[in-house]
Amino acid sequence: MRLFGIILIVSTTLFPAYQLAILPNISDSLALFSQYLGLAALILMAWAQIMATKFRLIETLFGSLDYVYILHKWTGIIALIAILLHDTIDADMEGFGQETWLSDIAETMGELSLYGILVLCVISIATFIPYHLWKWTHKFMGAMFILGAIHFIFILKPFSMTDAAGFYTFVFCLVGALAYLWNLLPEHLRPSHSYVITEITPTGDAIAITLRPKSRQIKANAGQFGIFRFVGAGNQEAHPFSFSKIGAHGELRLTVKSLGDYTTRLPNIIAIGQDVSVQGPFGRFCQPKVRENIWIAGGIGITPFLPIAHTLTENADTVTLFYCVKSRAQAPHLSEIEQLSRDKPTLKLHIIASDEGQRLTAEKIATLTGENMQSVRVAFCGPKTLREALQTGLRRYGLRPSHFKYEAFEFRTGIGLDKLAIYLLTKMKNQYSSRTNTHQNNT
């Protein structure tokens, strides 16, 4: 994740605070702060929609797409917090005109946006909710953003839409709305590359799918991934997979292990000769100018390392690969990586098989490599539990946190806040009850 991208989001979100601070004749600073929170929420939600487009510029600004998804998630969470505070702190100010039917509609739009975002955020952060429900409902997040934008445009406020604060936020709303419309496009209408399946081969407890380009090929680098949609397979869902091999003539190979509903179903709905739509390439796991000394692969996590291993030359720095598997029989591409270790003198391979009583630890890594951990760089792809254990252990041996690189392929993750999901539902219920009682009392 690039620091520049984080600074860009923070600075663009903070800028309206200055624009509001210089407004004349404002006595209610608390209400003005609530006004700012509303603007900040809209800007953050616009950024979330922009990041979801997966345009090439996004990785340039924010880093690898797998980390962009994490930033997208946290941007949405912070936007939700801003919305809740904006709703809690009274933003009403006197002296800005009479309420009209248009401003009344804008108020209603704001409430619909609030409740909608609360529900959708609960679904997003509560990982116990099924993936297919999350993906379907997540599309409505942009619609709630547009309702919030309408609320902002027509509500009574201490500045006009032609003032700096109004125009600045409106531009973000417009760009965010355009990004949302782009995100609504069906996958088959998005820019992609056409491939065809030429081979399906079992490998360990996974299958390797080889693809040949039908026309223009993807110009991918070792360590990158694509988003694949298997055309006519009775399933229009697109899914990310690392390239486990990149051929000289544009051939691609992806390796799929049964880890969820989609990957379990996939082997039964694909066939040789079938068309595949590929978006990408994405990811920056391989940095040509910064070669990691130690590679750690857990099971199917071997896939991004395979094409990188193929690029190793005799003059390259020595790389030590730890391949952690349940058993050798279940290890995907085991014979291929063993052959590469024989052909590449700069690649040292260690197979860590659980059924043989082996377990990878920070101590074992330090002992087998003989490296000074303060100067090495580690690349990891595998289960989260193994990653966290090794990160903690290697730090004790002097490894810098910034020198431990990993792929964050968990595009839909919780944040350990199932309790927050319950809190948000309660908050929504209380807000609804409060507004209902206020309406009844006024009536």
Short mmCIF file of all heavy atoms in Angstrom, two decimals, residues 178-209:
data_model
loop_
_atom_site.label_atom_id
_atom_site.label_comp_id
_atom_site.label_asym_id
_atom_site.label_seq_id
_atom_site.Cartn_x
_atom_site.Cartn_y
_atom_site.Cartn_z
N LEU A 178 -20.09 8.71 -11.20
CA LEU A 178 -19.65 8.13 -12.47
C LEU A 178 -18.91 6.82 -12.24
O LEU A 178 -19.09 5.85 -13.01
CB LEU A 178 -18.76 9.13 -13.22
CG LEU A 178 -19.44 10.40 -13.73
CD1 LEU A 178 -18.42 11.36 -14.32
CD2 LEU A 178 -20.51 10.06 -14.77
N ALA A 179 -18.09 6.78 -11.19
CA ALA A 179 -17.38 5.53 -10.87
C ALA A 179 -18.38 4.43 -10.50
O ALA A 179 -18.20 3.27 -10.88
CB ALA A 179 -16.40 5.78 -9.71
N TYR A 180 -19.43 4.80 -9.77
CA TYR A 180 -20.45 3.82 -9.39
C TYR A 180 -21.15 3.27 -10.62
O TYR A 180 -21.39 2.05 -10.72
CB TYR A 180 -21.45 4.47 -8.44
CG TYR A 180 -22.66 3.61 -8.14
CD1 TYR A 180 -22.51 2.36 -7.55
CD2 TYR A 180 -23.94 4.05 -8.44
CE1 TYR A 180 -23.61 1.57 -7.28
CE2 TYR A 180 -25.05 3.27 -8.17
CZ TYR A 180 -24.87 2.02 -7.58
OH TYR A 180 -25.96 1.24 -7.32
N LEU A 181 -21.49 4.14 -11.57
CA LEU A 181 -22.14 3.68 -12.79
C LEU A 181 -21.22 2.72 -13.57
O LEU A 181 -21.68 1.73 -14.14
CB LEU A 181 -22.53 4.88 -13.67
CG LEU A 181 -23.62 5.79 -13.10
CD1 LEU A 181 -23.84 6.98 -14.01
CD2 LEU A 181 -24.92 5.01 -12.89
N TRP A 182 -19.94 3.03 -13.56
CA TRP A 182 -18.97 2.12 -14.20
C TRP A 182 -18.97 0.77 -13.49
O TRP A 182 -18.95 -0.29 -14.13
CB TRP A 182 -17.59 2.74 -14.19
CG TRP A 182 -16.50 1.81 -14.64
CD1 TRP A 182 -15.74 0.99 -13.86
CD2 TRP A 182 -16.10 1.56 -16.00
NE1 TRP A 182 -14.87 0.25 -14.63
CE2 TRP A 182 -15.07 0.58 -15.94
CE3 TRP A 182 -16.49 2.05 -17.23
CZ2 TRP A 182 -14.44 0.11 -17.08
CZ3 TRP A 182 -15.86 1.58 -18.37
CH2 TRP A 182 -14.85 0.62 -18.28
N ASN A 183 -18.98 0.80 -12.17
CA ASN A 183 -18.94 -0.44 -11.39
C ASN A 183 -20.18 -1.29 -11.59
O ASN A 183 -20.15 -2.50 -11.36
CB ASN A 183 -18.76 -0.12 -9.90
CG ASN A 183 -17.43 0.52 -9.59
OD1 ASN A 183 -16.44 0.26 -10.28
ND2 ASN A 183 -17.38 1.35 -8.58
N LEU A 184 -21.29 -0.66 -12.02
CA LEU A 184 -22.52 -1.41 -12.26
C LEU A 184 -22.51 -2.15 -13.59
O LEU A 184 -23.35 -3.01 -13.82
CB LEU A 184 -23.73 -0.46 -12.23
CG LEU A 184 -24.19 0.05 -10.86
CD1 LEU A 184 -25.38 0.97 -11.03
CD2 LEU A 184 -24.53 -1.09 -9.92
N LEU A 185 -21.57 -1.81 -14.46
CA LEU A 185 -21.52 -2.48 -15.76
C LEU A 185 -21.31 -3.98 -15.57
O LEU A 185 -20.50 -4.41 -14.74
CB LEU A 185 -20.36 -1.93 -16.60
CG LEU A 185 -20.53 -0.56 -17.24
CD1 LEU A 185 -19.25 -0.17 -17.97
CD2 LEU A 185 -21.71 -0.56 -18.21
N PRO A 186 -22.03 -4.81 -16.32
CA PRO A 186 -21.80 -6.26 -16.25
C PRO A 186 -20.35 -6.59 -16.62
O PRO A 186 -19.71 -5.86 -17.40
CB PRO A 186 -22.78 -6.82 -17.29
CG PRO A 186 -23.81 -5.76 -17.47
CD PRO A 186 -23.11 -4.45 -17.26
N GLU A 187 -19.84 -7.67 -16.05
CA GLU A 187 -18.44 -8.04 -16.27
C GLU A 187 -18.11 -8.18 -17.75
O GLU A 187 -17.01 -7.82 -18.19
CB GLU A 187 -18.13 -9.35 -15.54
CG GLU A 187 -18.17 -9.26 -14.02
CD GLU A 187 -17.03 -8.45 -13.45
OE1 GLU A 187 -16.05 -8.21 -14.18
OE2 GLU A 187 -17.14 -8.05 -12.28
N HIS A 188 -19.05 -8.69 -18.56
CA HIS A 188 -18.73 -8.94 -19.96
C HIS A 188 -18.64 -7.65 -20.78
O HIS A 188 -18.20 -7.67 -21.94
CB HIS A 188 -19.77 -9.88 -20.59
CG HIS A 188 -21.14 -9.31 -20.70
ND1 HIS A 188 -22.04 -9.37 -19.65
CD2 HIS A 188 -21.79 -8.66 -21.70
CE1 HIS A 188 -23.17 -8.80 -20.01
NE2 HIS A 188 -23.05 -8.36 -21.25
N LEU A 189 -19.05 -6.51 -20.18
CA LEU A 189 -18.95 -5.23 -20.88
C LEU A 189 -17.69 -4.46 -20.49
O LEU A 189 -17.41 -3.40 -21.05
CB LEU A 189 -20.19 -4.37 -20.60
CG LEU A 189 -21.52 -4.91 -21.14
CD1 LEU A 189 -22.65 -3.95 -20.79
CD2 LEU A 189 -21.45 -5.11 -22.66
N ARG A 190 -16.93 -4.99 -19.55
CA ARG A 190 -15.72 -4.31 -19.11
C ARG A 190 -14.53 -4.70 -19.99
O ARG A 190 -14.52 -5.79 -20.57
CB ARG A 190 -15.40 -4.67 -17.66
CG ARG A 190 -16.58 -4.48 -16.73
CD ARG A 190 -16.20 -3.75 -15.49
NE ARG A 190 -17.32 -3.66 -14.57
CZ ARG A 190 -17.19 -3.62 -13.25
NH1 ARG A 190 -16.00 -3.73 -12.73
NH2 ARG A 190 -18.25 -3.49 -12.49
N PRO A 191 -13.53 -3.82 -20.11
CA PRO A 191 -12.34 -4.16 -20.91
C PRO A 191 -11.69 -5.44 -20.39
O PRO A 191 -11.44 -5.58 -19.19
CB PRO A 191 -11.43 -2.94 -20.70
CG PRO A 191 -12.34 -1.83 -20.34
CD PRO A 191 -13.46 -2.46 -19.56
N SER A 192 -11.44 -6.37 -21.28
CA SER A 192 -10.85 -7.65 -20.88
C SER A 192 -10.14 -8.28 -22.07
O SER A 192 -10.20 -7.78 -23.19
CB SER A 192 -11.92 -8.60 -20.34
OG SER A 192 -12.89 -8.87 -21.33
N HIS A 193 -9.47 -9.40 -21.80
CA HIS A 193 -8.76 -10.15 -22.83
C HIS A 193 -9.45 -11.51 -23.00
O HIS A 193 -9.87 -12.13 -22.02
CB HIS A 193 -7.30 -10.36 -22.43
CG HIS A 193 -6.56 -9.07 -22.19
ND1 HIS A 193 -5.76 -8.47 -23.12
CD2 HIS A 193 -6.52 -8.26 -21.10
CE1 HIS A 193 -5.25 -7.36 -22.64
NE2 HIS A 193 -5.70 -7.21 -21.40
N SER A 194 -9.55 -11.95 -24.24
CA SER A 194 -10.23 -13.21 -24.55
C SER A 194 -9.22 -14.36 -24.60
O SER A 194 -8.24 -14.29 -25.36
CB SER A 194 -10.97 -13.11 -25.88
OG SER A 194 -12.00 -12.15 -25.80
N TYR A 195 -9.48 -15.39 -23.82
CA TYR A 195 -8.63 -16.58 -23.79
C TYR A 195 -9.51 -17.82 -23.96
O TYR A 195 -10.75 -17.75 -23.85
CB TYR A 195 -7.87 -16.67 -22.46
CG TYR A 195 -6.62 -15.82 -22.41
CD1 TYR A 195 -6.68 -14.44 -22.34
CD2 TYR A 195 -5.36 -16.41 -22.45
CE1 TYR A 195 -5.53 -13.66 -22.29
CE2 TYR A 195 -4.21 -15.65 -22.39
CZ TYR A 195 -4.29 -14.27 -22.32
OH TYR A 195 -3.15 -13.52 -22.29
N VAL A 196 -8.87 -18.94 -24.20
CA VAL A 196 -9.58 -20.22 -24.32
C VAL A 196 -8.81 -21.27 -23.53
O VAL A 196 -7.57 -21.26 -23.49
CB VAL A 196 -9.72 -20.65 -25.80
CG1 VAL A 196 -8.36 -20.85 -26.46
CG2 VAL A 196 -10.60 -21.87 -25.93
N ILE A 197 -9.54 -22.17 -22.87
CA ILE A 197 -8.90 -23.22 -22.07
C ILE A 197 -8.32 -24.28 -23.00
O ILE A 197 -9.02 -24.82 -23.87
CB ILE A 197 -9.91 -23.88 -21.10
CG1 ILE A 197 -10.46 -22.83 -20.13
CG2 ILE A 197 -9.26 -25.03 -20.34
CD1 ILE A 197 -11.54 -23.37 -19.20
N THR A 198 -7.04 -24.58 -22.83
CA THR A 198 -6.38 -25.60 -23.66
C THR A 198 -6.01 -26.86 -22.87
O THR A 198 -5.78 -27.91 -23.45
CB THR A 198 -5.11 -25.04 -24.31
OG1 THR A 198 -4.21 -24.57 -23.27
CG2 THR A 198 -5.44 -23.88 -25.24
N GLU A 199 -5.97 -26.73 -21.54
CA GLU A 199 -5.55 -27.89 -20.73
C GLU A 199 -6.05 -27.74 -19.31
O GLU A 199 -6.04 -26.63 -18.75
CB GLU A 199 -4.02 -28.01 -20.75
CG GLU A 199 -3.48 -29.26 -20.09
CD GLU A 199 -1.96 -29.35 -20.17
OE1 GLU A 199 -1.35 -28.49 -20.86
OE2 GLU A 199 -1.39 -30.25 -19.53
N ILE A 200 -6.51 -28.85 -18.73
CA ILE A 200 -6.91 -28.90 -17.32
C ILE A 200 -6.21 -30.11 -16.69
O ILE A 200 -6.45 -31.25 -17.11
CB ILE A 200 -8.44 -29.02 -17.16
CG1 ILE A 200 -9.15 -27.86 -17.86
CG2 ILE A 200 -8.82 -29.06 -15.69
CD1 ILE A 200 -10.67 -27.99 -17.89
N THR A 201 -5.34 -29.85 -15.73
CA THR A 201 -4.49 -30.91 -15.19
C THR A 201 -4.55 -30.93 -13.66
O THR A 201 -4.36 -29.88 -13.03
CB THR A 201 -3.03 -30.71 -15.62
OG1 THR A 201 -2.97 -30.55 -17.03
CG2 THR A 201 -2.18 -31.90 -15.20
N PRO A 202 -4.80 -32.08 -13.05
CA PRO A 202 -4.72 -32.17 -11.58
C PRO A 202 -3.27 -31.97 -11.13
O PRO A 202 -2.34 -32.45 -11.77
CB PRO A 202 -5.20 -33.59 -11.27
CG PRO A 202 -5.89 -34.06 -12.51
CD PRO A 202 -5.22 -33.36 -13.65
N THR A 203 -3.11 -31.28 -10.01
CA THR A 203 -1.78 -31.11 -9.42
C THR A 203 -1.95 -31.02 -7.90
O THR A 203 -2.48 -30.05 -7.38
CB THR A 203 -1.07 -29.87 -9.97
OG1 THR A 203 0.14 -29.66 -9.25
CG2 THR A 203 -1.93 -28.63 -9.91
N GLY A 204 -1.55 -32.07 -7.21
CA GLY A 204 -1.78 -32.13 -5.77
C GLY A 204 -3.26 -32.11 -5.49
O GLY A 204 -4.05 -32.82 -6.12
N ASP A 205 -3.69 -31.25 -4.56
CA ASP A 205 -5.12 -31.14 -4.24
C ASP A 205 -5.76 -29.96 -4.98
O ASP A 205 -6.76 -29.40 -4.53
CB ASP A 205 -5.32 -31.00 -2.73
CG ASP A 205 -4.60 -29.79 -2.15
OD1 ASP A 205 -3.93 -29.07 -2.91
OD2 ASP A 205 -4.71 -29.56 -0.93
N ALA A 206 -5.18 -29.60 -6.14
CA ALA A 206 -5.69 -28.49 -6.93
C ALA A 206 -5.75 -28.90 -8.40
O ALA A 206 -5.39 -30.03 -8.76
CB ALA A 206 -4.78 -27.26 -6.75
N ILE A 207 -6.22 -27.99 -9.24
CA ILE A 207 -6.18 -28.21 -10.68
C ILE A 207 -5.48 -27.03 -11.34
O ILE A 207 -5.62 -25.88 -10.90
CB ILE A 207 -7.59 -28.39 -11.30
CG1 ILE A 207 -8.47 -27.17 -11.02
CG2 ILE A 207 -8.25 -29.66 -10.80
CD1 ILE A 207 -9.76 -27.15 -11.81
N ALA A 208 -4.70 -27.31 -12.38
CA ALA A 208 -4.03 -26.27 -13.15
C ALA A 208 -4.77 -26.08 -14.47
O ALA A 208 -5.01 -27.05 -15.20
CB ALA A 208 -2.58 -26.65 -13.40
N ILE A 209 -5.15 -24.85 -14.76
CA ILE A 209 -5.91 -24.53 -15.97
C ILE A 209 -5.03 -23.67 -16.87
O ILE A 209 -4.63 -22.57 -16.49
CB ILE A 209 -7.20 -23.77 -15.62
CG1 ILE A 209 -8.02 -24.55 -14.58
CG2 ILE A 209 -8.03 -23.50 -16.86
CD1 ILE A 209 -9.18 -23.76 -13.99
#
